[in-house]
Amino acid sequence: MKANTANLVQSKWVKTKLLLRSNAVRPFIPDTRKFSRRNLEEMIRSYGMVYVKPERGTYGNGVIRAERGEHKGYTYQYEETVRHFDTFQAFHKSLAQKTGKRSYLIQKGIHLLKHNRRRFDIRVMVQLSPKGVWEATGIIGRLGHPRKIVTNYHSGGRPMAIETLLSTHLTRQQLAHLTGELDLLGTRMAAHMQKTYPRIRKIGVDVGLDRSLTPWVIEVNMNPDPYIFNQLKDKSMYRKVMKYRRYWMEK
């Protein structure tokens, strides 16, 4: 398969709407809406914290974490800068200026688990095997930069084994159960997306665990970086990811 599938679906909105059509996947998708004053006001009131992100974009670029203060006022963080506002009107005006004419989405904020006081999420690599069966071939944690809101490697995040990141949150048995749950979720998502985009051979599923250990799908990447798995001491996942990647590249 020599045709490039990377640009099949760049819109996070299109991918979200597609995933919401799957009964098996829908419960794991956080509330996501188009950026508007009304949606921002409703979602901030409902969830207290939201992420405002470009509809199209990679590496966590342009992502903003917006929150309502515990007592009064509003704040948002972009990269390492935090801004405070006394009124919703000023808060929305500043965000609208920041987003400009680009299309942005608002997503229910997930209070991610932390390791050494730094947020982390999980990337699940799902690939079509040479036998044509979807498999979860790799799973890795991404520890965020201490002063940033995104976990991406390109934004200062650090790839780490999930066993290390979850060691203080889960027992070995619980970790094994969670891994199986994420593998199943990833393969279901890939199979569902393949019905609409039959040329896809891989997806990367970014999952955030909240404080109750509930998994939430933060984003789906149609061109996931396979080399992140080479950062792990154990190279077995990396070898499998690259083996499947080479197989389809040569087709």
Side-chain angles (χ1 to χ4, degrees), residues 186-247:
T187 54
R188 282 176 170 173
M189 291 174 70
H192 176 72
M193 296 184 81
Q194 189 184 33
K195 293 174 186 175
T196 302
Y197 301 101
R199 292 167 54 205
I200 65 170
R201 298 293 181 264
K202 60 186 180 296
I203 63 170
V205 184
D206 295 338
V207 176
L209 297 176
D210 65 18
R211 293 162 187 165
S212 67
L213 301 175
T214 301
W216 294 95
V217 176
I218 298 171
E219 198 165 313
V220 181
N221 192 319
M222 304 288 274
N223 191 32
D225 177 10
Y227 299 103
I228 187 175
F229 294 96
N230 198 29
Q231 301 287 325
L232 297 174
K233 183 182 288 187
D234 181 350
K235 305 296 181 183
S236 57
M237 279 191 284
Y238 176 66
R239 287 193 291 269
K240 187 170 188 178
V241 166
M242 296 306 289
K243 176 185 174 182
Y244 284 17
R245 180 175 184 265
R246 283 192 297 272
Y247 177 83

Side-chain angles (χ1 to χ4, degrees), residues 96-214:
Q97 289 172 342
K98 178 71 71 176
T99 58
K101 294 182 179 180
R102 293 178 67 190
S103 178
Y104 269 70
L105 304 177
I106 310 172
Q107 188 176 75
K108 173 188 174 181
I110 307 304
H111 292 280
L112 298 176
L113 290 186
K114 293 183 179 181
H115 175 76
N116 292 338
R117 292 184 290 181
R118 293 162 63 175
R119 299 181 189 97
F120 68 87
D121 63 12
I122 297 168
R123 162 64 63 87
V124 182
M125 174 72 91
V126 185
Q127 294 172 281
L128 199 64
S129 75
K131 294 181 179 180
V133 178
W134 284 107
E135 285 185 35
T137 50
I139 184 167
I140 191 168
R142 305 186 305 174
L143 186 65
H145 185 284
R147 295 186 302 278
K148 293 187 178 181
I149 58 171
V150 294
T151 59
N152 301 70
Y153 182 62
H154 298 83
S155 300
R158 180 183 169 196
M160 292 181 68
I162 63 167
E163 292 82 1
T164 302
L165 294 176
L166 288 167
S167 60
T168 58
H169 300 283
L170 298 173
T171 65
R172 284 189 180 182
Q173 188 175 7
Q174 288 172 323
L175 178 61
H177 176 77
L178 175 67
T179 302
E181 190 177 0
L182 295 181
D183 287 356
L184 181 60
L185 176 61
T187 54
R188 282 176 170 173
M189 291 174 70
H192 176 72
M193 296 184 81
Q194 189 184 33
K195 293 174 186 175
T196 302
Y197 301 101
R199 292 167 54 205
I200 65 170
R201 298 293 181 264
K202 60 186 180 296
I203 63 170
V205 184
D206 295 338
V207 176
L209 297 176
D210 65 18
R211 293 162 187 165
S212 67
L213 301 175
T214 301

Side-chain angles (χ1 to χ4, degrees), residues 33-45 88 92 106:
R33 309 179 202 175
K34 289 273 196 176
F35 180 82
S36 70
R37 180 187 174 113
R38 179 179 177 179
N39 285 340
L40 179 66
E41 192 167 17
E42 287 182 358
M43 293 178 74
I44 278 282
R45 186 171 62 243
F88 178 81
H92 169 259
I106 310 172

